[in-house]
Protein backbone atom coordinates (compact mmCIF):
# COMPACT_ATOMS: atom_id res chain seq x y z
CA UNK A 1 0.00 0.00 0.00
CA UNK A 2 2.75 2.37 0.92
CA UNK A 3 4.61 1.42 -2.16
CA UNK A 4 1.54 2.15 -4.24
CA UNK A 5 1.23 5.55 -2.65
CA UNK A 6 4.84 6.29 -3.35
CA UNK A 7 4.43 5.36 -7.01
CA UNK A 8 1.27 7.40 -7.29
CA UNK A 9 2.93 10.36 -5.62
CA UNK A 10 5.89 10.06 -7.96
CA UNK A 11 3.55 10.09 -10.96
CA UNK A 12 1.53 13.00 -9.69
CA UNK A 13 4.51 15.14 -8.64
CA UNK A 14 5.47 16.25 -12.17
CA UNK A 15 1.87 17.03 -12.89
CA UNK A 16 1.61 19.07 -9.69
CA UNK A 17 4.86 20.83 -10.45
CA UNK A 18 3.74 21.52 -13.99
CA UNK A 19 0.43 22.74 -12.70
CA UNK A 20 2.15 24.99 -10.21
CA UNK A 21 4.99 26.09 -12.52
CA UNK A 22 2.99 27.15 -15.55
CA UNK A 23 1.01 29.86 -13.79
CA UNK A 24 4.18 31.08 -12.15
CA UNK A 25 5.92 31.29 -15.54
CA UNK A 26 2.83 32.93 -16.98
CA UNK A 27 2.81 35.53 -14.20
CA UNK A 28 6.53 36.34 -14.72
CA UNK A 29 5.92 36.78 -18.44
CA UNK A 30 2.98 39.11 -17.73
CA UNK A 31 5.10 41.25 -15.39
CA UNK A 32 7.81 41.57 -17.99
CA UNK A 33 5.21 42.39 -20.64
CA UNK A 34 3.56 45.04 -18.47
CA UNK A 35 6.98 46.56 -17.69
CA UNK A 36 7.89 46.76 -21.37
CA UNK A 37 4.51 48.31 -22.20
CA UNK A 38 4.87 50.94 -19.49
CA UNK A 39 8.34 51.89 -20.73
CA UNK A 40 7.14 52.17 -24.31
CA UNK A 41 4.11 54.22 -23.25
CA UNK A 42 6.34 56.51 -21.22
CA UNK A 43 8.67 57.06 -24.16
CA UNK A 44 5.75 57.69 -26.47
CA UNK A 45 4.25 60.20 -24.03
CA UNK A 46 7.58 61.97 -23.70
CA UNK A 47 7.92 62.07 -27.48
CA UNK A 48 4.43 63.53 -27.82
CA UNK A 49 5.15 66.10 -25.12
CA UNK A 50 8.39 67.14 -26.82
CA UNK A 51 6.60 67.36 -30.15
CA UNK A 52 3.88 69.50 -28.55
CA UNK A 53 6.53 71.79 -27.02
CA UNK A 54 8.25 72.19 -30.36
CA UNK A 55 4.96 72.90 -32.08
CA UNK A 56 4.05 75.47 -29.44
CA UNK A 57 7.48 77.09 -29.80
CA UNK A 58 7.03 77.26 -33.57
CA UNK A 59 3.64 78.92 -33.12
CA UNK A 60 5.06 81.42 -30.62
CA UNK A 61 7.92 82.26 -32.95
CA UNK A 62 5.53 82.62 -35.89
CA UNK A 63 3.27 84.89 -33.82
CA UNK A 64 6.27 86.93 -32.71
CA UNK A 65 7.46 87.38 -36.29
CA UNK A 66 3.95 88.30 -37.42
CA UNK A 67 3.64 90.89 -34.65
CA UNK A 68 7.05 92.32 -35.56
CA UNK A 69 6.03 92.61 -39.21
CA UNK A 70 2.82 94.35 -38.19
CA UNK A 71 4.77 96.82 -36.03
CA UNK A 72 7.22 97.52 -38.84
CA UNK A 73 4.35 97.97 -41.30
CA UNK A 74 2.60 100.37 -38.91
CA UNK A 75 5.84 102.30 -38.38
CA UNK A 76 6.44 102.55 -42.12
CA UNK A 77 2.87 103.71 -42.65
CA UNK A 78 3.25 106.37 -39.95
CA UNK A 79 6.50 107.59 -41.51
CA UNK A 80 4.89 107.71 -44.94
CA UNK A 81 1.94 109.65 -43.50
CA UNK A 82 4.31 112.06 -41.77
CA UNK A 83 6.30 112.55 -44.97
CA UNK A 84 3.09 113.07 -46.92
CA UNK A 85 1.99 115.77 -44.49
CA UNK A 86 5.35 117.51 -44.86
CA UNK A 87 5.06 117.38 -48.63
CA UNK A 88 1.50 118.71 -48.49
CA UNK A 89 2.52 121.56 -46.17
CA UNK A 90 5.46 122.44 -48.39
CA UNK A 91 3.22 122.44 -51.46
CA UNK A 92 0.69 124.70 -49.75
CA UNK A 93 3.46 127.01 -48.56
CA UNK A 94 4.98 127.21 -52.03
CA UNK A 95 1.60 128.06 -53.48
CA UNK A 96 1.42 130.96 -51.02
CA UNK A 97 5.09 131.91 -51.16
CA UNK A 98 4.63 134.83 -53.54
CA UNK A 99 1.72 136.10 -51.48
CA UNK A 100 3.77 135.85 -48.28
CA UNK A 101 6.65 137.77 -49.84
CA UNK A 102 4.22 140.37 -51.16
CA UNK A 103 2.67 140.74 -47.72
CA UNK A 104 6.09 141.14 -46.13
CA UNK A 105 7.01 143.78 -48.68
CA UNK A 106 3.66 145.54 -48.08
CA UNK A 107 4.41 145.79 -44.37
CA UNK A 108 7.64 147.60 -45.12
CA UNK A 109 5.85 149.87 -47.61
CA UNK A 110 3.21 150.80 -45.04
CA UNK A 111 5.95 151.52 -42.53
CA UNK A 112 7.73 153.79 -45.00
CA UNK A 113 4.46 155.55 -45.81
CA UNK A 114 3.88 156.32 -42.10
CA UNK A 115 7.43 157.55 -41.74
CA UNK A 116 7.05 159.84 -44.75
CA UNK A 117 3.80 161.20 -43.31
CA UNK A 118 5.38 161.98 -39.95
CA UNK A 119 8.34 163.61 -41.72
CA UNK A 120 6.03 165.82 -43.77
CA UNK A 121 4.16 166.92 -40.65
CA UNK A 122 7.43 167.67 -38.85
CA UNK A 123 8.75 169.72 -41.78
CA UNK A 124 5.54 171.71 -41.99
CA UNK A 125 5.63 172.33 -38.26
CA UNK A 126 9.21 173.59 -38.46
CA UNK A 127 8.35 175.81 -41.43
CA UNK A 128 5.36 177.20 -39.55
CA UNK A 129 7.51 177.94 -36.51
CA UNK A 130 10.09 179.81 -38.58
CA UNK A 131 7.43 181.79 -40.44
CA UNK A 132 5.77 183.01 -37.23
CA UNK A 133 8.98 184.22 -35.69
CA UNK A 134 8.00 183.09 -32.22
CA UNK A 135 10.72 181.79 -29.91
CA UNK A 136 10.41 178.44 -28.11
CA UNK A 137 13.11 177.86 -25.51
CA UNK A 138 13.47 174.09 -26.08
CA UNK A 139 12.77 174.17 -29.81
CA UNK A 140 16.22 172.90 -30.80
CA UNK A 141 15.91 169.99 -28.38
CA UNK A 142 12.51 169.05 -29.80
CA UNK A 143 13.84 169.16 -33.36
CA UNK A 144 16.88 167.06 -32.37
CA UNK A 145 14.55 164.45 -30.85
CA UNK A 146 12.49 164.40 -34.05
CA UNK A 147 15.57 163.86 -36.20
CA UNK A 148 16.93 161.15 -33.90
CA UNK A 149 13.63 159.24 -33.84
CA UNK A 150 13.31 159.61 -37.60
CA UNK A 151 16.72 158.01 -38.15
CA UNK A 152 15.82 155.09 -35.88
CA UNK A 153 12.47 154.61 -37.60
CA UNK A 154 14.06 154.71 -41.05
CA UNK A 155 16.61 152.05 -40.05
CA UNK A 156 13.81 149.83 -38.70
CA UNK A 157 11.74 150.23 -41.87
CA UNK A 158 14.74 149.43 -44.06
CA UNK A 159 15.43 146.30 -41.98
CA UNK A 160 11.88 145.05 -42.53
CA UNK A 161 12.12 145.83 -46.24
CA UNK A 162 15.27 143.72 -46.63
CA UNK A 163 13.67 140.67 -45.00
CA UNK A 164 10.99 139.78 -47.51
CA UNK A 165 13.46 138.62 -50.19
CA UNK A 166 14.95 135.97 -47.87
CA UNK A 167 11.79 133.93 -47.26
CA UNK A 168 11.69 130.54 -49.00
CA UNK A 169 9.39 127.64 -48.08
CA UNK A 170 12.16 125.10 -48.71
CA UNK A 171 14.83 127.23 -47.05
CA UNK A 172 17.03 126.02 -44.23
CA UNK A 173 14.91 127.76 -41.60
CA UNK A 174 11.76 129.24 -43.09
CA UNK A 175 10.02 129.38 -39.71
CA UNK A 176 13.02 131.15 -38.25
CA UNK A 177 12.85 133.69 -41.08
CA UNK A 178 9.21 134.40 -40.29
CA UNK A 179 9.96 134.77 -36.57
CA UNK A 180 12.81 137.16 -37.35
CA UNK A 181 10.57 139.16 -39.66
CA UNK A 182 7.89 139.49 -36.97
CA UNK A 183 10.54 140.70 -34.52
CA UNK A 184 11.70 143.31 -37.02
CA UNK A 185 8.13 144.45 -37.67
CA UNK A 186 7.59 144.87 -33.94
CA UNK A 187 10.77 146.94 -33.69
CA UNK A 188 9.65 149.03 -36.68
CA UNK A 189 6.27 149.73 -35.13
CA UNK A 190 7.89 150.79 -31.87
CA UNK A 191 10.35 153.05 -33.73
CA UNK A 192 7.53 154.65 -35.73
CA UNK A 193 5.59 155.18 -32.52
CA UNK A 194 8.62 156.91 -31.02
CA UNK A 195 8.99 159.11 -34.11
CA UNK A 196 5.31 160.05 -34.03
CA UNK A 197 5.58 161.00 -30.35
CA UNK A 198 8.60 163.22 -31.06
CA UNK A 199 6.73 164.98 -33.88
CA UNK A 200 3.69 165.41 -31.61
CA UNK A 201 5.88 166.99 -28.91
CA UNK A 202 7.27 169.39 -31.49
CA UNK A 203 3.76 170.41 -32.60
CA UNK A 204 2.64 170.96 -29.01
CA UNK A 205 5.72 173.07 -28.30
CA UNK A 206 5.32 175.23 -31.39
CA UNK A 207 1.61 175.80 -30.70
CA UNK A 208 2.36 176.78 -27.11
CA UNK A 209 4.11 180.00 -28.18
CA UNK A 210 1.81 181.12 -30.97
CA UNK A 211 -0.38 183.23 -28.68
CA UNK A 212 2.58 185.11 -27.22
CA UNK A 213 4.87 187.84 -28.48
CA UNK A 214 8.41 187.14 -29.54
CA UNK A 215 9.74 188.54 -26.26
CA UNK A 216 7.34 186.51 -24.12
CA UNK A 217 8.14 183.29 -25.94
CA UNK A 218 11.86 183.76 -25.34
CA UNK A 219 11.55 184.01 -21.58
Amino acid sequence: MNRYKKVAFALLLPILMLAVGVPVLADDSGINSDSNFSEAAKKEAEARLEAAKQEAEKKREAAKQKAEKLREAAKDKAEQHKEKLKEDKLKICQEREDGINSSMAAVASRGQAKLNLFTKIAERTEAFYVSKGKVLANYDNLVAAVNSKKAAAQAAVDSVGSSNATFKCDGDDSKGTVREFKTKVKSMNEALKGYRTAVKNLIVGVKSVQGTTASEGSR
Side-chain angles (χ1 to χ4, degrees), residues 6-7 16 19-20 31 35 38 58 65 71 80 82 89 98 117 130 137 147 149 157 169 172 174 191:
K6 289 180 179 181
V7 173
L16 292 173
V20 174
I31 292 173
S35 177
S38 298
K58 287 181 181 179
Q65 292 179 359
R71 281 194 296 269
Q80 291 174 1
K82 185 177 179 181
K89 287 182 178 179
D98 291 341
L117 175 62
V130 172
N147 292 334
K149 295 298 183 181
V157 170
C169 290
D172 294 335
S174 57

Side-chain angles (χ1 to χ4, degrees), residues 5 19 21 26 42 49 57 69-70 75 98 109 114 121-122 124 145 147-148 152 156 171 176 181-182 184 207 213:
K5 288 180 178 180
K42 182 179 179 182
L49 179 61
E57 184 63 27
K69 288 181 179 179
L70 290 174
K75 184 178 179 181
D98 291 341
S109 296
K114 287 182 180 180
I121 293 173
R124 288 179 177 177
N147 292 334
S148 175
F181 178 77
K182 288 181 177 179
K184 289 183 177 181
K207 284 184 176 180
T213 64

